[in-house]
Amino acid sequence: MTDAPHLSNETPGGEALKADWGDRMEQTVLDAALGLAPRLGWNGRMVRAACEACGLSLGDEELLLPNGPRDLAALLSRRHDDRALAALGEVDARSLKMRERIARAVSARMEAGAADLEATRRCAAFLALPTNADLGLKLAWESADHLWLWAGDTATDWNHYSKRAILSGILIPALTMRWFDGKDAAEAFVAARIENVMAFEKWKAGKDFDAPLRKVGEALTRMRYGAKAE
């Protein structure tokens, strides 16, 4: 990789070239990290070794991956999202019932990560650390958003957020089970949780969840104007 321009150098083409180089180099370093993580773990030492294998100086590493293993964890999760969506692109979601769509989507996401199983296990252990819980939740939300969009969700109200929160709550333990307990255990867990989600969706259908907010608004209006809000 010695013929590639470095982030720390001025190169012809300006910011566009640097951005393109950065995107390509991120994936190259990630490829190297996947080979090193089973032996070194998911940590700063692994990041430095992966960058060295790609011919990057310490300065370029700091520019490319300022958050070190956290940045690589995000890159890996998003690669797995892309891989899952590519597999789901072969499926006509409209031919499936909603529960089947979600089951298929979660299964695709689990298998996308299983293709890099040993490295994914190290990354999952890294994200399980209390200092990285915020990143793990963010990445699970991103994955849930991609899967709901593939399933055909078009909600823009509070349902948009509740669906992603619920699916994130399924994804995190499902992925962990897939990495450490195997496919059968994970698939059984997902099937049971989807039944719970469908039951919740039926329960909330027709519920007026904005009513408490309207009541508060009416009360504040009465306090201010002394009359009931129309």
Side-chain angles (χ1 to χ4, degrees):
M1 306 301 297
T2 56
D3 58 339
H6 287 264
L7 287 175
S8 56
N9 297 334
E10 291 298 325
T11 59
E15 295 301 320
L17 178 59
K18 289 182 180 180
D20 181 65
W21 180 89
D23 291 341
R24 287 185 289 106
M25 186 54 71
E26 283 177 344
Q27 297 304 314
T28 301
V29 173
L30 179 58
D31 288 337
L34 294 180
L36 293 166
R39 177 170 56 89
L40 299 179
W42 204 272
N43 49 46
R45 179 187 172 202
M46 180 271 292
V47 175
R48 180 81 285 266
C51 288
E52 285 182 347
C54 297
L56 294 182
S57 68
L58 181 59
D60 283 341
E61 174 190 332
E62 292 173 347
L63 288 171
L64 186 71
L65 303 167
N67 298 301
R70 283 173 62 95
D71 288 337
L72 275 184
L75 287 170
L76 181 60
S77 180
R78 288 160 188 162
R79 176 183 285 188
H80 291 164
D81 286 342
D82 290 343
R83 187 180 293 166
L85 292 174
L88 291 170
E90 303 297 320
V91 180
D92 181 5
R94 296 170 298 179
S95 68
L96 304 174
K97 295 179 180 179
M98 184 55 73
R99 71 180 64 219
E100 294 172 332
R101 298 180 195 181
I102 298 305
R104 182 70 66 88
V106 174
S107 179
R109 181 60 179 80
M110 291 193 298
E111 295 314 301
D116 304 309
L117 186 57
E118 292 304 319
T120 300
R121 284 173 173 168
R122 280 21 176 223
C123 185
F126 172 79
L127 290 174
L129 296 173
T131 52
N132 300 318
D134 61 324
L135 178 60
L137 291 172
K138 176 184 177 182
L139 295 174
W141 183 280
E142 286 183 6
S143 297
D145 184 47
H146 290 310
L147 299 184
W148 268 118
L149 290 175
W150 172 82
D153 177 60
T154 58
T156 57
D157 57 6
W158 79 280
N159 287 290
H160 173 92
Y161 301 98
S162 66
K163 287 180 177 179
R164 282 145 184 81
I166 292 170
L167 187 53
S168 295
I170 294 175
L171 272 174
I172 292 173
L175 293 175
T176 301
M177 291 184 72
R178 178 62 184 90
W179 312 152
F180 297 98
D181 298 322
K183 182 176 181 178
D184 291 344
E187 295 281 6
F189 170 83
V190 171
R193 298 293 80 74
I194 288 177
E195 288 300 320
N196 292 343
V197 172
M198 293 300 106
F200 175 72
E201 291 293 322
K202 289 181 180 179
W203 172 81
K204 76 179 185 181
K207 301 290 184 181
D208 185 2
F209 291 97
D210 291 332
L213 295 178
R214 287 201 301 275
K215 289 181 179 179
V216 170
E218 291 172 359
L220 291 174
T221 300
R222 286 195 299 271
M223 291 173 62
R224 181 172 183 179
Y225 298 108
K228 183 176 181 180
E230 294 298 330

